[in-house]
Amino acid sequence: MEKTELDKKTAVFYLKQMMQIRQFEDKIMDLLGQNIAEGGSHLYAGQEAIAVGAMASINPDDYIVSTHRGHGHCIAKGGKLPELMAEILGKKTGCCKGKGGSLHLADVSTGNLGANGVVGGGFGLATGAGLTIKIKKTNQVVLCFFGDGATNQGLFHECLNMAAKWVLPVVYICENNLYGMSVSVKRASALEDLTKKASPYGIPTDTVDGMDVLAVRDGVTKFVKHSREGKGPSMIVCQSYRYYGHSRSDPRVYRTKEEEKFWHDRDAILTFGRKMVEQKILTQQEVDNLDKEVQKELDDATKYAIESPLPEPSALYEDLYV
Amino acid sequence: MKQLFYWQAINEALEEEMKRDPNVFVMGEDVAIYGGAYGVTRGLMEKFGEERVRDTAISEAAIAGAGLGAAVTGMRPVIEIMYIDFISIALDQIYNQMAKIRYMFGGKTKVPIVVRTQGGPGRTLGAHHSQSLESWLVHVPGLKVVMPATPYDAKGLLKSAIREDNPVIFIEHKMLYGTKGEIPEEEYTLPIGKASIKREGSDVTIIAYSMALLKALKAAEQLQKGGINCEVIDPLTLLPLDIATIMESVKKTHKVVIVHEACKTGGTGAEIGMQIIENGFDYLDAPIKRVCGADVPMPKAPNLEKLAVPQVEDIIKVTKELCE
């Protein structure tokens, strides 16, 4: 196996963030099952390496736009677990004061312009943020996350055209988890290689293993550099898989147990942890301890969220207008 | 005072605000080299450069979406949707994103954007270039909807809209661009959300906006000759509606006619009328009357186009019947 150039602190950081996301999602599934969490939730479990790897390539003052499955991006961009969990439960202490919820999880204070209830709804936000950076010459970048399904939306093409024409600093990151709800990429898209959907706009594209945090980090870093050098947008496709169904009511009849096993065997957290132990960057004990530490954080965050109050009735009309 | 065309008043507002604030920029189809389909942005590219006056591709959703993205990250975009008929293509970005982001994010962001567009019939352009779709937008909490009729109001309200930290839909009318009006030499702004009494009267309140206001004022002049003294109110802002100013008038006249070019069914007249009933049914001496556009797609034929929207005679007829 190729030796990874990684210091211990960084290895712990990546592994811990991925564990936080996984356990956050597992916890929500649990809360949904107990009807403590109401409504729906689109869970990111399985795709952790993408959010964590991509976020490792940017600075805190760079922007991101999240997806229709956005919890992971919020955590990786620096959102606080208790506030995020409280938001999922619609509590006053949530990062959006209980007005957003799972589908609209956002934390502008961390440069996160939000998840989106509309598939592909965030392309404009990302592209416009890129325009601000270009006009103000601030040398920031925007990471625009979206799923495979969103590449079939018109706005995807309008925005890629605009960003390419205006040379905007946006890295479009396609998380190909193979399904838009139940319809597979094969059944929905005329092109299975999703990079081909961006190549007509004359921008660089690449495909990486979305189950490998370092592959994602390195792939995105290359394109972030491209944007910072004033060379404009790019698109990277991260091949991945969501472990849970689209939402809690999804019986997953459109995919096989064998396919699920194939991806679970390549689990981003297990493979990265194993690699770090094999390469003696971390010990198994350290990996296990990290897992326990994250469990404790999630327990605390969940307790905080459950015990937090709902918004006051007077909040109904607050924050609509400035 | 100087005399300016409606388009010039808007152009002047844009120029003044772009000079005042380097974060203001203009973006849309044909706004730069061409100067806008109706010439409203002419000269701005020459004055401010292509970085701040941006020709876009024909991509309404991207124009609105990128405008939003720029607004939440520190700019003050003024985007142009060439015809309000095309706003449907950008609607997800406007009603799902632009209007809701501040609320959904718990008030943690501001959305200082103006969506300039124009609508209305009058040039026999048919169903895809003549609509009045303001009621779609009035139905979206989080937006403000402004629809001025005079050059004076257009300039003052656009300047306020650009300084506003909320998304404002600014709807012009293609048949108003060539109308003239007085504009003060000195700088001024007008408050969003405040109606304007365009003519004082005591017998009946006529509420009208955009092109319909001009027709209502003509009707009022003729009705005066027949002894009916009309008060004419321009709401100017349709969302939020200045119902207080309207009610003051209703308390005086006890009769109301609402005029707009948009289709009658589900139009803003229904909302304004209902708010009057909720706020003071007892002040009314007669049912509220509406003089509105026909519930049809706008036909091409000039005679049919004329029939499809309220004319001065229609306003006179309905008002007379109400006052008899």
Side-chain angles (χ1 to χ4, degrees):
Chain A
M1 190 190 288
E2 202 183 327
K3 177 76 180 152
T4 312
E5 293 293 328
L6 207 61
D7 61 57
K8 183 169 180 166
K9 195 177 154 201
T10 309
V12 167
F13 184 73
Y14 296 167
L15 190 58
K16 187 174 177 186
Q17 275 202 335
M18 289 197 288
M19 285 173 167
Q20 283 175 329
I21 296 171
R22 174 70 53 85
Q23 292 192 29
F24 188 84
E25 301 300 57
D26 289 346
K27 186 67 85 178
I28 290 169
M29 197 61 186
D30 191 33
L31 296 174
L32 284 165
Q34 297 177 56
N35 278 325
I36 292 172
E38 294 177 276
S41 221
H42 297 163
L43 303 179
Y44 195 69
Q47 298 174 222
E48 296 87 350
I50 304 174
V52 174
M55 244 54 93
S57 72
I58 57 170
N59 301 325
D61 70 338
D62 290 319
Y63 292 110
I64 70 154
V65 171
S66 174
T67 70
H68 201 55
R69 189 173 299 290
H71 305 172
H73 310 110
C74 268
I75 294 171
K77 191 68 168 79
K80 295 186 179 68
L81 295 175
E83 289 180 15
L84 294 173
M85 190 61 87
E87 187 58 38
I88 304 283
L89 299 187
K91 297 298 181 74
K92 181 184 178 179
T93 54
C95 56
C96 301
K97 301 185 192 168
K99 301 267 189 70
S102 167
L103 273 174
H104 313 106
L105 208 56
D107 192 348
V108 184
S109 63
T110 62
N112 177 357
L113 302 179
N116 216 295
V118 178
V119 170
F123 288 119
L125 270 166
T127 307
L131 183 55
T132 297
I133 294 167
K134 174 109 192 281
I135 294 175
K136 289 184 177 266
K137 299 184 175 65
T138 53
N139 205 33
Q140 292 157 287
V141 294
V142 186
L143 302 186
C144 178
F145 295 92
F146 54 98
D148 46 275
T151 65
N152 299 314
Q153 288 278 27
L155 190 60
F156 167 76
H157 294 278
E158 290 189 20
C159 285
L160 254 64
N161 180 64
M162 181 181 268
K165 188 68 227 167
W166 289 352
V167 200
L168 303 180
V170 185
V171 182
Y172 294 91
I173 302 176
C174 177
E175 306 195 20
N176 182 6
N177 65 16
L178 308 185
Y179 298 91
M181 195 159 153
S182 72
V183 180
S184 66
V185 171
K186 280 183 187 173
R187 282 161 61 85
S189 178
L191 295 165
E192 268 189 66
D193 176 359
L194 300 177
T195 61
K196 286 187 178 163
K197 290 184 159 178
S199 53
Y201 302 106
I203 64 173
T205 63
D206 199 0
T207 302
V208 296
D209 179 2
M211 307 301 272
D212 180 346
V213 66
L214 300 178
V216 174
R217 182 198 63 179
D218 294 347
V220 176
T221 298
K222 181 179 67 183
F223 285 149
V224 165
K225 184 167 174 281
H226 178 85
S227 277
R228 288 209 210 276
E229 287 168 354
K231 295 176 184 164
S234 53
M235 174 163 131
I236 187 164
V237 176
C238 303
Q239 301 288 4
S240 187
Y241 204 70
R242 70 168 142 78
Y243 289 175
Y244 290 112
H246 169 70
S247 58
R248 72 162 151 178
S249 54
D250 175 2
R252 316 205 296 278
V253 292
Y254 47 86
R255 64 190 207 188
T256 63
K257 292 270 181 296
E258 291 72 31
E259 182 183 282
E260 291 184 352
K261 182 176 183 314
F262 172 82
W263 288 94
H264 277 281
D265 287 348
R266 305 167 67 219
D267 184 85
I269 299 171
L270 286 180
T271 53
F272 183 72
R274 204 179 295 146
K275 198 179 195 175
M276 292 303 100
V277 172
E278 278 167 12
Q279 298 189 2
K280 301 192 176 5
I281 295 170
L282 297 175
T283 65
Q284 186 59 49
Q285 188 61 49
E286 284 170 328
V287 173
D288 293 344
N289 287 347
L290 203 54
D291 191 64
K292 288 201 187 75
E293 193 185 313
V294 171
Q295 275 181 34
K296 170 82 171 62
E297 281 181 8
L298 260 301
D299 286 344
D300 291 348
T302 307
K303 185 167 183 288
Y304 173 82
I306 290 173
E307 289 175 357
S308 285
L310 289 166
E312 312 291 337
S314 61
L316 181 63
Y317 289 103
E318 285 170 7
D319 295 325
L320 182 58
Y321 297 101
V322 175
Chain B
M1 289 280 196
K2 59 191 172 192
Q3 288 276 327
L4 287 186
F5 286 113
Y6 184 84
W7 76 263
Q8 286 176 310
I10 297 167
N11 181 278
E12 204 170 79
L14 288 168
E15 184 181 339
E16 286 177 13
E17 292 307 299
M18 288 181 81
K19 275 187 188 148
R20 180 176 175 270
D21 182 349
N23 291 323
V24 177
F25 74 101
V26 171
M27 169 166 78
E29 293 159 11
D30 305 288
V31 298
I33 296 173
Y34 195 88
Y38 284 91
V40 173
T41 54
R42 71 186 78 160
L44 294 179
M45 185 192 76
E46 291 77 0
K47 291 186 182 101
F48 297 101
E50 285 197 71
E51 191 76 349
R52 293 181 68 196
V53 184
R54 309 181 78 94
D55 273 331
T56 66
I58 302 170
S59 304
E60 285 82 5
I63 296 167
L68 168 64
V72 298
T73 51
M75 302 298 291
R76 287 191 177 272
V78 181
I79 63 164
E80 178 172 322
I81 301 292
M82 190 193 284
Y83 282 77
I84 200 169
D85 312 72
F86 313 153
I87 211 165
S88 53
I89 303 162
L91 266 189
D92 174 64
Q93 291 300 306
I94 293 172
Y95 84 85
N96 268 327
Q97 316 295 340
M98 209 180 274
K100 295 180 172 56
I101 267 187
R102 178 178 166 76
Y103 189 81
M104 291 193 304
F105 291 4
K108 289 186 182 172
T109 189
K110 294 187 292 193
V111 188
I113 184 171
V114 180
V115 181
R116 278 189 49 246
T117 186
Q118 61 80 28
R123 296 190 61 228
T124 76
L125 293 170
H128 291 171
H129 281 64
S130 309
Q131 293 171 85
S132 306
L133 300 176
E134 61 274 13
S135 68
W136 289 7
L137 298 149
V138 167
H139 198 57
V140 184
L143 299 179
K144 294 191 177 184
V145 180
V146 177
M147 215 163 160
T150 67
Y152 174 80
D153 291 334
K155 182 178 176 188
L157 283 165
L158 182 56
K159 283 169 72 75
S160 296
I162 293 170
R163 296 179 196 185
E164 171 90 27
D165 282 334
N166 300 294
V168 179
I169 312 291
F170 192 86
I171 307 174
E172 300 155 18
H173 194 295
K174 58 176 72 59
M175 300 311 288
L176 290 173
Y177 287 130
T179 60
K180 266 193 167 176
E182 286 192 331
I183 300 285
E185 296 294 338
E186 65 279 7
E187 194 188 8
Y188 70 99
T189 59
L190 294 172
I192 290 172
K194 184 84 188 107
S196 170
I197 298 165
K198 296 298 180 189
R199 179 192 171 100
E200 289 196 19
S202 53
D203 294 334
V204 55
T205 301
I206 302 179
I207 300 163
Y209 57 86
S210 193
M211 193 64 197
L213 174 75
L214 271 54
K215 292 177 182 171
L217 286 169
K218 277 187 190 151
E221 251 174 60
Q222 294 190 34
L223 285 160
Q224 185 67 55
K225 290 174 195 159
I228 298 174
N229 186 219
C230 304
E231 179 139 302
V232 180
I233 296 182
D234 184 347
L236 288 171
T237 304
L238 296 171
L239 182 69
L241 184 70
D242 177 8
I243 189 66
T245 297
I246 291 171
M247 290 315 296
E248 281 309 306
S249 181
V250 174
K251 285 175 192 171
K252 184 168 65 174
T253 65
H254 312 293
K255 294 184 202 73
V256 178
V257 177
I258 304 170
V259 191
H260 59 63
E261 290 189 329
C263 301
K264 186 175 194 174
T265 303
T268 53
E271 177 61 32
I272 296 169
M274 197 63 212
Q275 286 199 31
I276 292 169
I277 289 169
E278 283 174 337
N279 281 281
F281 178 76
D282 291 343
Y283 295 112
L284 291 170
D285 283 350
I288 294 168
K289 291 289 176 189
R290 284 185 286 167
V291 187
C292 303
D295 286 333
V296 297
M298 191 56 63
K300 157 68 190 175
N303 61 327
L304 296 182
E305 186 193 50
K306 203 158 173 273
L307 279 175
V309 283
Q311 303 300 333
V312 176
E313 313 80 73
D314 303 318
I315 304 168
I316 291 172
K317 182 169 177 282
V318 169
T319 310
K320 267 188 179 162
E321 283 168 9
L322 183 65
C323 292
E324 266 165 11

